Amino acid sequence: MQRDISMPRWDNAPFPVLQAHAMTTPSRRDLANAIRFLAADAVQAANSGHPGMPMGMADMAQVLWGDFLSHNPSNPKWVNRDRFVLSNGHGSMLLYALLHLTGYDLPLEEIRRFRQLHSRTAGHPEAHATPGVETTTGPLGQGLANAVGFALAEKLLAQRYNREGHSIVDHHTWVFLGDGCLMEGISHEACSLAGTLGLGKLIALYDDNNISIDGEVHGWFTDNTPQRFEAYGWQVIRNVDGHDPDEIAQAIRTAKAETARPTLICCKTTIGFGSPNKAGKESSHGAPLGKDELAATRQALGWPHPAFEIPGEIYAGWDARAAGAAREADWTARFARYAAAFPEQAAEFSRRMRGELPADFLAHADAYIARLQAEGPVVASRKASQMAIEAFAPRLPELIGGSADLAGSNLTLWKGSKSAAGSAPDANYVYYGVREFGMSAIANGLALHGGFIPYDATFLVFSDYSRNALRMSALIPTRAIHVFTHDSIGLGEDGPTHQPVEHLASLRCIPGNSVWRPCDAVESAVAWKAAIERADGPSVLVFSRQNLPHQHRSAEQVADIARGGYVLSDPADSRFDVILIGTGSEVELAMEAARQLDAQGVKARVVSMPNTSVFDAQPLEWREGVLPSWCRKRVAVEAGVTGFWRQYVGLDGAVIGIDSFGASAPADALYQHFGITAGRVAEAAKAL
């Protein structure tokens, strides 16, 4: 039985002074101390950061990375590597120290430049900037949710591709997390689902140090965390001494032996371990130790080396390059045997992990889009979205969907959908339950793992619940597709709590976020194709509840949809007096307004702009051709807040929309009540 070490050991007593010693074979504590002092020195040099967590978790990190983590520093993208996620990302120097010491391309100079402009050691880990960082963490709890996505990806890929005697997908996902991660509601969403899905290769190590920025957490965090996770269906290993390597190692061995449940290892630690005056206190959490305290810590831990100096013996003890290369070489040999036995599966797996689409996919998608244009279905764009999934998904085994308990409303299921909760080799759908935030963060993890293009879904108004995960999709960035239906007051009777107003504008304001709001089935299919093609960031697809009319287009106009904004209709003589701009369900209003204006002798061009950011990225020649600067008479119409559209119509133009909350009534009555009508668009145009 493990002893109870629920109280930090050095909260109220000074550290013993240890004598410096000549080092031949470094001890585990020596190796862990290298992390502690790289972290503390970097924070001191930057005069900002969080030294306490790296100092407290250093022993845990040494055991995991030294004895268990399967990785190759020379190839951070080796497909069968273990994934390590630092959910408590404020302790970023722990991860940077690990990457540097084990041999990743993160030289000491970058450690010295911690938190400085253009360094590869940002204040919180950034996946796009630093080799070996699996996901961008900082907002607490999201790394944990990403890790659920990593583990789910591993499980589903193993089900699809592994064969008897050929386990080509076989790795673990490891998470470091703290009290803050567990206080965040997303931890409940993600961990509850992880237990339900039986993600046995997900192992979380909890830094239970009883401290957050505001002090001792007993005043605001008194959950029985072990019981909470047991209720989720996790294996929980309690009261592990987070500074005892033997206890840590035994806990990890126990965790790995459990294959049907994820595991939480509760490690009792002391924040700021080694600091004589700040260990166990919030003063070590988010500020440098200070020059004098850092010197005292060196003496207390017997670390005589100057700042940023690591002895050769320590580097040798940490160097994982040879072992990592051997691991990857062994896997490569095993994969070659697999490929010889199962060539089709091997080729598909390799293609998916490279992030490449099937060679015939784009041609197939274009043929489907052309057929839609010829057939002209009149459907809600949410239905058109489902039709596109039905057309594309059979060609894309990497496509994995899901919805936050709204599959029947979001229309995200297709004929080939199979639940990820089972053991089907072609499982491709996640029933997320009412967990919007967790859903989108898990989708980010699925995308980051590789081998999947995830799409998730809920009502547009509930994008608020997943907002920070959507922001992280763009910031990381991830190849994720976020589907939102019931996109306006067209939702109808559910009323203002369910009617999005400001959401389209706010989602468009996220840098790198590609937001599509299509006006009919054809634009919906183009939006799906563009989202699937996009490899360098997320896409948001926004669809209507109500039916939308088909718009007539030439083949050239169909091709132009992909430019984000294009001329849908011009007067017969091509001369126009005013430009009407619409998206989604309001393109129909713009077209009707153009007909009304024409009857009154006013010639109108109609521009459909399903994606403003894609349009903005077009060459000036294209943008000027669609919205010529000589025509200042412009009216935009969209069932959302109006301010966003001023950049396209100017202060001298007009915007028809809604700058209040909605109301509970049938959709047609609401559009009339709020004045979002073709007649009002026409009146606004004539008034310019």
Side-chain angles (χ1 to χ4, degrees):
M1 180 175 295
Q2 295 163 336
R3 66 183 184 275
D4 186 355
I5 53 166
S6 57
M7 294 297 294
R9 291 173 291 174
W10 292 322
D11 279 3
N12 302 307
F15 282 83
V17 175
L18 303 179
Q19 298 298 314
H21 57 278
M23 194 180 302
T24 53
T25 301
S27 67
R28 286 187 179 275
R29 178 57 50 83
D30 293 325
L31 296 170
N33 284 343
I35 296 174
R36 292 187 170 101
F37 287 102
L38 280 175
D41 289 336
V43 172
Q44 191 68 37
N47 198 31
S48 73
H50 300 259
M53 184 279 260
M55 296 172 74
M57 299 191 79
D59 297 306
M60 298 158 60
Q62 190 282 315
V63 174
L64 175 61
W65 281 63
D67 294 17
F68 295 97
L69 193 74
S70 180
H71 65 123
N72 182 9
S74 300
N75 182 12
K77 296 299 184 182
W78 171 37
V79 298
N80 199 48
R81 68 192 182 279
D82 285 355
R83 272 64 170 180
F84 176 82
V85 177
L86 190 74
S87 189
N88 42 353
H90 56 269
S92 57
M93 267 308 309
L94 174 80
L95 180 53
Y96 299 146
L98 287 165
L99 295 173
H100 171 69
L101 291 167
T102 55
Y104 285 79
D105 183 18
L106 192 67
L108 188 62
E109 181 57 30
E110 295 292 339
I111 304 293
R112 291 178 179 271
R113 297 179 61 237
F114 178 55
R115 288 183 165 233
Q116 304 309 299
L117 186 63
H118 303 313
S119 77
R120 293 158 73 182
T121 50
H124 294 79
E126 297 182 15
H128 73 278
T130 311
V133 174
E134 297 286 0
T135 181
T136 302
T137 56
L140 291 175
Q142 285 203 65
L144 175 56
N146 295 163
V148 173
F150 283 124
L152 177 58
E154 192 276 344
K155 172 182 180 288
L156 296 179
L157 288 170
Q159 287 175 190
R160 184 173 183 95
Y161 294 107
N162 287 354
R163 299 291 187 272
E164 187 175 352
H166 298 275
S167 294
I168 62 163
V169 182
D170 183 14
H171 53 266
H172 285 78
T173 300
W174 306 89
V175 194
F176 275 15
L177 57 94
D179 293 307
C181 293
L182 295 181
M183 283 186 252
E184 291 284 1
I186 191 173
S187 70
H188 166 71
E189 295 184 24
C191 294
S192 170
L193 186 60
T196 298
L197 294 175
L199 302 181
K201 290 184 177 177
L202 173 63
I203 302 174
L205 288 87
Y206 167 31
D207 182 30
D208 185 6
N209 60 27
N210 198 47
I211 295 291
S212 67
I213 290 177
D214 282 349
E216 295 184 7
V217 301
H218 58 74
W220 49 87
F221 185 52
T222 58
D223 301 15
N224 189 321
T225 297
Q227 288 185 359
R228 171 186 161 190
F229 275 76
E230 286 169 348
Y232 294 154
W234 287 53
Q235 173 184 226
V236 177
I237 304 172
R238 306 172 183 232
N239 292 327
V240 175
D241 184 345
H243 303 298
D244 185 325
D246 292 335
E247 287 195 19
I248 299 165
Q250 181 54 50
I252 292 175
R253 285 191 288 269
T254 302
K256 291 188 69 176
E258 173 58 67
T259 60
R261 297 177 293 168
T263 296
L264 179 71
I265 303 174
C266 301
C267 296
K268 295 290 185 179
T269 63
T270 301
I271 193 170
F273 181 99
S275 172
N277 299 298
K278 295 187 176 183
K281 300 176 182 177
E282 65 271 19
S283 57
S284 69
H285 191 298
L289 295 181
K291 189 175 180 181
D292 292 343
E293 186 66 15
L294 189 50
T297 305
R298 278 183 153 81
Q299 186 179 17
L301 291 179
W303 187 264
H305 316 291
F308 301 109
E309 183 175 303
I310 305 295
E313 296 88 345
I314 295 288
Y315 274 124
W318 272 108
D319 192 347
R321 288 173 293 183
R327 291 189 192 98
E328 183 174 354
D330 176 71
W331 180 86
T332 301
R334 289 191 285 116
F335 187 78
R337 294 191 291 273
Y338 174 85
F342 307 100
E344 292 183 9
Q345 291 84 352
E348 183 181 88
F349 174 81
S350 297
R351 177 191 64 77
R352 287 176 59 171
M353 296 307 295
R354 291 193 302 269
E356 298 174 358
L357 296 174
D360 64 344
F361 174 75
L362 296 181
H364 170 74
D366 287 339
Y368 172 72
I369 292 164
R371 187 168 73 251
L372 275 182
Q373 184 61 47
E375 295 174 352
V378 177
V379 294
S381 56
R382 62 171 176 158
K383 179 61 179 178
S385 168
Q386 186 182 47
M387 292 161 56
I389 297 170
E390 198 75 57
F392 297 160
R395 304 288 183 108
L396 294 171
E398 57 265 54
L399 199 63
I400 180 167
S403 174
D405 202 47
L406 288 169
S409 295
N410 299 146
L411 300 184
T412 48
L413 289 165
W414 63 286
K415 292 176 183 176
S417 294
K418 292 187 179 179
S419 173
S423 58
D426 52 351
N428 60 4
Y429 197 86
V430 184
Y431 291 91
Y432 284 103
V434 188
R435 299 183 177 99
E436 293 90 353
F437 193 4
M439 171 182 70
S440 294
I442 290 169
N444 287 341
L446 283 164
L448 285 164
H449 180 278
F452 289 99
I453 301 174
Y455 65 92
D456 56 23
T458 187
F459 288 180
L460 179 58
V461 76
F462 300 137
S463 65
D464 286 340
Y465 279 141
S466 56
R467 173 70 184 214
N468 200 255
L470 302 178
R471 182 176 186 268
M472 294 302 293
S473 274
L475 196 157
I476 293 170
T478 67
R479 190 181 192 174
I481 302 171
H482 306 291
V483 176
F484 298 110
T485 68
H486 298 63
D487 67 350
S488 69
I489 58 173
L491 170 73
E493 292 86 345
D494 277 337
T497 63
H498 283 53
Q499 292 165 1
V501 174
E502 75 278 19
H503 300 73
L504 279 164
S506 68
L507 289 169
R508 289 170 178 146
C509 286
I510 298 175
N513 201 31
S514 186
V515 180
W516 291 88
R517 187 174 186 239
C519 75
D520 65 1
V522 176
E523 284 192 358
S524 298
V526 172
W528 264 106
K529 177 194 173 192
I532 290 166
E533 276 189 279
R534 190 184 186 205
D536 59 352
S539 298
V540 169
L541 309 183
V542 181
F543 299 116
S544 72
R545 180 192 185 193
Q546 70 272 35
N547 285 349
L548 304 179
H550 172 71
Q551 300 297 335
H552 297 285
R553 301 176 185 85
S554 66
E556 184 180 5
Q557 285 175 305
V558 171
D560 291 344
I561 297 170
R563 291 180 175 267
Y566 65 102
V567 177
L568 179 62
S569 174
D570 262 341
D573 60 4
S574 298
R575 294 182 298 172
F576 53 91
D577 307 304
V578 63
I579 300 174
L580 310 179
I581 309 168
T583 76
S585 49
E586 286 70 68
V587 169
E588 171 187 6
L589 301 182
M591 291 292 288
E592 174 58 27
R595 288 188 285 270
Q596 292 180 16
L597 288 167
D598 185 68
Q600 300 172 58
V602 179
K603 306 298 183 182
R605 162 176 282 189
V606 177
V607 170
S608 178
M609 195 175 290
N611 191 311
T612 58
S613 62
V614 170
F615 176 77
D616 292 345
Q618 298 302 309
L620 176 61
E621 182 181 6
W622 177 262
R623 289 179 281 127
E624 181 69 16
V626 175
L627 298 176
S629 54
W630 62 261
C631 184
R632 303 299 303 167
K633 294 182 177 181
R634 303 178 184 184
V635 181
V637 55
E638 184 175 71
V641 293
T642 61
F644 173 85
W645 287 100
R646 286 292 169 188
Q647 62 189 304
Y648 299 103
V649 304
L651 295 178
D652 49 348
V655 184
I656 305 300
I658 177 171
D659 288 313
S660 67
F661 294 114
S664 179
D668 290 346
L670 291 170
Y671 272 84
Q672 289 291 329
H673 174 73
F674 289 104
I676 306 174
T677 64
R680 182 130 180 258
V681 174
E683 291 172 6
K686 288 191 295 180
L688 294 176

